[in-house]
C-alpha cells in the first residue's frame, strides 16, 4: 500500500473513531475518503481549505488538510502563515506529490521548494516519511496533539521502514570518516550509492526540528557531511551547520536543483536528471571527497 493509500485509510479510520478529527479537502482525494459530517470538501479553493481548517481548530477540533503539494503549501501560503501560524492554531497538513511524483503532469503539480518555505514559518514540525509505516506512525501521533504539523508524502519509498526517532544511525564507518545524512525516501538510493564506501550513514524522516543532538553524536570526528534530501537542494544545510557550529566541517547538499526541468518523464527519469539516483549520488560524493 502506497503512502497515499495508507493515509486515506488512516483518515477514514480517524473520522470514524475520533470525534475530534475533521478532514478538509479541495477535491484532491475526495473519492478516496468517506462521506462524513466532519469531512469538508471546499472545491478548488485551497485558500479556503486552510481558512476552514483554522476555523475548525478554533472550535476545538483537530483539522487535517490534504491536497497536492503546490496546492497545499504554495497556493495558500499566506493563509498557512496567518490563519494558522499568526493565530497560533494547530493543524495537520498532509501533502501528496512530493517534488516530482506527478512527473507527467508538469510544473503545476510539482513543488520541490515546499519544505524550505514551510521551514520559514515558526512552530511547524515537518515530517518526510520514507515508508508507509513511517507515515502511519507520524500521522497517528500528529492527531493526538494540538501543534502545527506538515507531513510530506511521496510515491517514492525506501525498501524498508526505519524504526526510531530523530537521527538514526544505520551504518557506522570508521573514526573520522564522512557522514551521510539521508532524508525520507532518499535512503535506499543513498545506501546503494555508498555501499562500498567507508562512511557513516544516518537517516531522518523529521528534518524540522532537526535532531541536532543525534546528529552531533553520530558525526563523531567527521569533517565531511553529505546531505541527501528529496526536495530543494540546500534546504537543510543551515540546520546541519548550526548543529555542528563548533566543528570545522565541509557540507555537500544534494537535492532537487534550483531550476525548472521542462521535460516530461517517469519519476525514475526525474530522479536521475536531478542526480538523486544511486549513480548520481555516488558521482557527487566521489567528486566531493576527492576535492577535499
Amino acid at each position: 500500500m502506497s503512502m497515499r493509500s495508507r493515509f486515506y485509510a488512516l483518515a477514514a479510520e480517524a473520522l470514524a473513531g475520533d470525534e475530534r478529527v475533521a478532514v478538509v479537502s479541495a477535491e484532491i482525494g475526495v473519492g478516496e475518503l468517506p462521506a462524513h459530517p466532519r469531512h469538508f470538501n471546499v472545491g478548488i479553493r485551497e485558500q479556503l481549505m486552510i481558512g476552514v481548517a483554522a476555523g475548525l481548530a478554533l472550535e476545538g477540533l483537530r483539522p487535517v488538510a490534504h491536497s497536492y503539494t503546490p496546492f497545499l503549501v504554495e497556493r495558500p501560503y499566506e493563509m498557512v502563515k496567518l490563519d494558522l501560524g499568526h493565530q497560533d492554531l494547530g493543524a495537520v497538513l498532509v501533502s501528496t506529490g512530493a517534488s516530482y511524483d506527478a512527473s507527467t503532469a508538469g510544473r503545476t503539480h510539482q513543488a520541490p521548494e515546499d519544505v524550505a518555505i514551510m521551514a520559514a514559518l515558526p512552530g511547524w514540525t515537518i515530517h518526510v516519511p520514507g515508508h508507509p509505516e513511517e507515515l502511519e506512525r507520524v500521522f497517528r501521533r500528529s492527531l493526538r496533539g494540538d501543534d502545527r504539523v506538515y507531513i510530506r508524502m511521496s510515491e517514492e519509498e525506501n525498501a524498508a521502514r526505519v524504526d526510531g526517532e530523530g537521527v538514526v544511525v544505520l551504518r557506522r564507518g570508521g573514526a573520522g570518516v564522512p557522514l551521510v545524512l539521508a532524508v525520507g525516501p532518499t535512503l535506499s538510493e543513498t545506501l546503494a550509492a555508498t555501499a562500498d564506501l567507508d562512511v557513516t550513514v544516518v537517516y531522518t524522516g523529521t528534518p524540522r526540528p532537526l535532531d541536532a543532538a543525534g546528529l552531533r553524536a553520530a558525526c563523531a570526528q567527521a569533517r565531511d557531511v553529505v546531505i541527501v534530501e528529496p526536495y530543494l537542494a540546500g534546504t537543510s544545510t543551515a540546520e546541519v551547520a548550526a548543529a555542528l557550529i563548533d566543528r570545522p566541517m565541509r557540507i555537500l547538499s544534494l537535492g532537487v536543483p534550483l531550476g525548472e526541468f521542462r521535460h516530461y518523464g517517469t519519476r525514475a527519469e526525474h530522479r536521475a536528471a536531478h542526480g538523486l539516483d544511486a549513480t548520481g549520488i555516488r558521482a557527487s560524493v566521489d567528486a566531493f571527497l576527492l576535492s577535499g
Side-chain angles (χ1 to χ4, degrees), residues 212-224:
L215 182 66
R216 288 179 61 85
C219 220
Q221 301 171 10
R223 291 295 179 263
D224 291 321

Side-chain angles (χ1 to χ4, degrees), residues 126-146:
I126 300 176
H127 297 295
V128 184
H131 190 274
E133 293 181 24
E134 295 174 33
L135 163 71
E136 178 167 347
R137 183 172 70 230
V138 298
F139 181 66
R140 288 188 184 279
R141 185 169 68 235
S142 298
L143 292 182
R144 297 194 292 268
D146 289 299

Side-chain angles (χ1 to χ4, degrees), residues 168-173 190-191 194-202:
V168 180
V169 178
L170 299 180
R171 191 171 81 225
R172 191 174 290 281
T190 300
L191 288 172
T194 60
D196 62 342
L197 293 178
D198 186 13
V199 297
T200 294
V201 179
V202 300

Side-chain angles (χ1 to χ4, degrees), residues 275-289:
L276 290 175
D277 61 350
T279 300
I281 293 169
R282 179 55 181 265
S284 296
V285 170
D286 285 346
F288 175 63
L289 296 181

